[in-house]
Structures are given as structure tokens and as C-alpha cells.
Amino acid sequence: MDITKEILRELNLTATPLSNFTGQDKLARIKKLIVDSNGRVLRENNRNIHLSASAVVFNQDTMFFIEHPYLKKRLLPAGHVEFGETPLETAVREFNEETGYFVIPNKLYPLLDVNLINIPENTFTQEPAHTHIDFRYKLSLSLKKPIRAELETYLMGKYQVPNEFLKYFELVK
């Protein structure tokens, strides 16, 4: 699988829904970064730019968050896209691993937002400072019984979440 073609195709297919959150200028910058990387957007082959994926999942009027073990902040369940994996597959896998809950993709425009995130150096893992191109997907909880979570999980309401995530509450019906 050519990850560059796959992610550019997804960005082009969902450009209209993305404009609600991402904005055309940011989307153009992200596409340029992807093209300029010559297909090297995975952690294994690029020290400066990593492709990641996050899960935006609601339980009624609360959203799932995890406590990031290194940054010590409440963030969306997320992780690096691995070789042979699409960003959507990553979001589903990471949500399950980090929270213990199972999710299913939203059939209508699961790609919700794309962000550029500056990640500080991690001396514990010997990882230098770098940028994540983070694909954010709206996923729905499955009825499948949860398993043991890797990380502390929180359900947070609209007035508890960091400002960056407040905009997603317009999706709550």
C-alpha cells in the first residue's frame, strides 16, 4: 500500500466535511507536507514527521479521553500509524488498546479533522521533537464488552475538555 496516495485520496474525498474543522489553508499545508515527504510519513522512516490517528468517541454527551503517559495531559486516544495500516485502522486499534472499549467507524465521513501537532522531545524513548500529522476520526462505541485498558480513561463533558476539543461537541445530537 502506498500510504501517501492513500492518505491524499482520503483527504481529497473528505475535503468538504473537513472544512468544518480543519480549514482550507491548514489542509493545503498538510497536503504539501505529505507530498514533500516522498511517502515517508511513518515513524520508522521519518524522524521529523509522523502520521498519527486519533479517535473522537462520544458516550451520550461525554467524550472519551486518556491520560497521556509522557505529556501528562488528557488527550484523545491516539497513536502512530504503523506500516501496512491506514490511519482509520490505527484510530480503531489505538482506541481499543488505550481505553479497552471497541468502536466502529462512522460510515458517513469518518474523517473529521486533520491537525498538525508539535511533539516535544521524549528522552525516555530517545525520540526527538517532531510533528504529527494527526487524522481524527469520529467513531461510535460498539456493544462489544470492553477489555482491560492500557491507560487511564476519562469521560469528559463539554465544559471539562481542553479548548482544542470543544468544537467536536457540535457533533453531539
Side-chain angles (χ1 to χ4, degrees):
M1 165 177 66
D2 181 341
I3 191 72
T4 303
K5 285 182 183 173
E6 177 69 25
I7 58 180
L8 287 172
R9 183 184 68 76
E10 186 165 9
L11 287 175
N12 289 330
L13 285 175
T14 56
T16 301
L18 279 176
S19 64
N20 291 337
F21 294 114
T22 305
Q24 293 304 315
D25 290 344
K26 186 183 351 174
L27 193 56
R29 274 196 338 261
I30 290 167
K31 286 180 181 180
K32 182 173 177 5
L33 271 175
I34 293 167
V35 169
D36 290 350
S37 72
N38 294 320
R40 296 177 53 226
V41 291
L42 301 181
R43 170 172 55 180
E44 294 81 15
N45 60 20
N46 191 328
R47 293 178 55 88
N48 299 317
I49 299 171
H50 299 178
L51 188 59
S52 63
S54 299
V56 175
V57 180
F58 289 95
N59 184 3
Q60 297 179 351
D61 61 349
T62 59
M63 191 186 315
F64 278 87
F65 286 86
I66 53 89
E67 181 79 22
H68 191 281
Y70 177 69
L71 299 175
K72 305 294 185 210
K73 292 171 33 175
R74 297 212 178 143
L75 299 172
L76 296 172
H80 288 96
V81 175
E82 304 294 339
F83 181 77
E85 194 174 52
T86 66
L88 178 58
E89 291 166 338
T90 299
V92 169
R93 175 181 54 78
E94 289 287 349
F95 187 85
N96 174 247
E97 290 173 359
E98 292 182 355
T99 69
Y101 286 87
F102 293 90
V103 287
I104 51 177
N106 181 321
K107 298 294 184 211
L108 184 64
Y109 306 119
L111 182 58
L112 181 65
D113 197 0
V114 184
N115 265 316
L116 292 172
I117 304 169
N118 294 319
I119 306 295
E121 176 184 17
N122 184 333
T123 54
F124 182 74
T125 62
Q126 305 302 311
E127 198 168 58
H130 58 280
T131 299
H132 279 197
I133 299 173
D134 188 54
F135 280 53
R136 292 186 176 168
Y137 292 91
K138 181 168 185 322
L139 306 173
S140 300
L141 279 178
S142 165
L143 296 177
K144 192 172 177 181
K145 184 179 176 182
I147 60 173
R148 189 164 194 256
E150 286 181 356
L151 300 174
E152 191 77 30
T153 303
Y154 301 89
L155 281 170
M156 298 172 67
K158 183 175 184 176
Y159 300 105
Q160 299 169 303
V161 302
N163 285 341
E164 171 188 0
F165 307 110
L166 191 58
K167 61 188 174 186
Y168 301 132
F169 276 88
E170 72 182 54
L171 301 168
V172 176
K173 303 285 184 221

